[in-house]
Amino acid sequence: MLAIDLTGKRALVAGVADDAGFGFAIAKALAEAGASICLGSWPPALNIFETLLERGKLDASLTLSRGGKLAFERIYPLDAAFDTLEDAPAELRESKRYRERGDFSIRGMADRLRQDFGDQGLDIVVHSLANGPEVKRALLDTSRKGYLEAVSVSAYSNLALVRELAPLMRAGGAFLSLTYLASERVIPGYGGGMSSAKAALESDTRTLAWDAGRRFGVRVNTISAGPLASRAASAIGLIERMVQYVKANAPLPRDFEAMDVGHAAAFLVSPLAAGITGTVVYVDNGFHSMGMAVQGPGTVGGAESGST
Ligand SMILES: NC(=O)c1ccc[n+]([C@@H]2O[C@H](COP(=O)([O-])OP(=O)(O)OC[C@H]3O[C@@H](n4cnc5c(N)ncnc54)[C@H](O)[C@@H]3O)[C@@H](O)[C@H]2O)c1
């Protein structure tokens, strides 16, 4: 039987601080396929995440289908806005949530991975993080600072992860990130330069696939995911409407789940996808292919009944 087998592989999933988002679903799917999992978590969210783990509040989500519980090999502090610790302002470094964490920069995490697992200790890297401080503002009203922050944290950070971690990858290594349709179609409400950041992320996926493919032999892909009411997406404000709209108008009127992305991710980073790189893969019940809304379930094309 053809199966996704990640036994003996180590993954680093950057952007997990609860069990509600894509990063967690991907981590779980990779673990189901046999990989060991390290996380990179944002210091402001890390305390709460560690407490939830310690108190067993995430045990149900962590339970694996083969029995037992997903245990993270390491959880590294990571603020993807900074390439080196020196790049972080002193005020932030000294602040409550950061000062006890050591080097939380991207290079700092790479150094720790090297210390913990040697020069070639990594097979899979997932970038599942984004932040746009002005996401609720229309692009037209976005400040230069807000725009650059969105692009820095949500797109440049992926490039920096590839640069710092590709040298640690074993043969067959794979990078994966998460993008959104707003990069190529207008999604009113997804503002603050986040649409620009996703466009950059997708373009970089192609160019990084070339650069890092030729230099390190690794693959670089991105998944364009449908809307999910994660913690980050709930901050945008209209996520429930987006979820309903996609369900009413996508070719597949089924509920879209984080694990749909988890499973697709497990395939994309596995040896089964050895020939796939530089690609945007849509995991959204097919919504991206639509050119016309049905304006509510059932009115055109029978979205509810499935009739044509
Ligand atoms: N939820 C959706 O509808 C949707 C749709 C398509 C794509 N995506 C993308 O999926 C990815 C994961 O998001 P999610 O929706 O699952 O939410 P999430 O809340 O699970 O993940 C976002 C993570 O980013 C982390 N983060 C924020 N700023 C950071 C920083 N400076 N350094 C390190 N980590 C930081 C947060 O702590 C959080 O853990 C993002 O790239 C997002 O844009 C989400």
Side-chain angles (χ1 to χ4, degrees):
M1 222 167 58
L2 189 63
I4 296 176
D5 184 4
L6 301 178
T7 312
K9 296 194 186 290
R10 177 172 293 111
L12 180 276
V13 184
V16 179
D18 59 43
D19 61 353
F22 289 126
F24 186 91
I26 293 170
K28 178 127 187 244
L30 302 187
E32 293 277 12
S36 60
I37 313 291
C38 298
L39 300 182
S41 301
W42 196 33
L46 194 44
N47 276 352
I48 298 175
F49 185 45
E50 285 170 340
T51 307
L52 290 173
L53 286 169
E54 276 159 26
R55 297 201 179 148
K57 303 278 187 205
L58 304 182
D59 282 3
S61 311
L62 290 165
T63 301
L64 296 168
S65 56
R66 62 176 172 271
K69 222 177 70 180
L70 164 56
F72 301 114
E73 211 175 3
R74 297 281 190 288
I75 302 180
Y76 299 109
L78 171 69
D79 193 323
F82 306 111
D83 295 332
T84 67
L85 193 58
E86 294 71 49
D87 293 340
E91 196 188 325
L92 183 86
R93 274 188 268 158
E94 296 310 320
S95 66
K96 189 165 159 255
R97 305 239 182 265
Y98 283 79
R99 63 175 173 242
E100 316 271 293
R101 295 289 182 187
D103 190 340
F104 49 80
S105 68
I106 293 177
R107 177 147 320 148
M109 186 178 69
D111 288 344
R112 289 185 191 200
L113 277 160
R114 194 178 285 106
Q115 276 162 23
D116 291 344
F117 304 112
D119 285 341
Q120 302 269 280
L122 205 52
D123 303 281
I124 297 161
V125 174
V126 180
H127 177 284
S128 181
L129 61 94
N131 201 3
E134 297 179 18
V135 67
K136 288 186 178 172
R137 282 196 203 171
L139 180 62
L140 190 59
D141 301 321
T142 300
S143 71
R144 184 182 294 263
K145 186 167 179 285
Y147 181 98
L148 293 177
E149 266 185 61
V151 174
S152 163
V153 172
S154 313
Y156 185 86
S157 57
N158 186 52
L159 181 171
L161 274 187
V162 175
R163 184 187 57 224
E164 298 295 329
L165 299 181
L168 302 184
M169 303 282 260
R170 292 186 274 240
F175 286 87
L176 185 69
S177 67
L178 272 296
T179 186
Y180 182 48
L181 191 63
S183 60
E184 53 180 306
R185 298 278 185 272
V186 180
I187 309 285
Y190 194 81
M194 279 305 300
S195 55
S196 324
K198 291 304 190 190
L201 186 73
E202 290 175 24
S203 177
D204 292 350
T205 297
R206 292 181 282 273
T207 307
L208 290 171
W210 162 258
D211 287 352
R214 288 298 174 117
R215 208 178 296 172
F216 300 104
V218 296
R219 298 183 294 111
V220 185
N221 290 296
T222 189
I223 287 178
S224 184
L228 174 81
S230 64
R231 196 183 167 104
S234 301
I236 303 170
L238 42 81
I239 186 66
E240 290 303 339
R241 257 184 63 210
M242 289 157 90
V243 169
Q244 291 306 323
Y245 184 85
V246 167
K247 192 170 177 197
N249 292 291
L252 299 175
R254 60 192 276 281
D255 284 332
F256 172 73
E257 291 170 5
M259 198 42 91
D260 294 332
V261 169
H263 289 153
F267 163 70
L268 279 173
V269 300
S270 79
L272 295 177
I276 302 177
T277 193
T279 301
V280 181
V281 175
Y282 296 90
V283 183
D284 63 351
N285 280 339
F287 179 74
H288 68 281
S289 61
M290 296 301 295
M292 181 181 163
V294 295
Q295 299 171 352
T299 47
V300 178
E304 269 181 339
S305 64
S307 63
T308 52

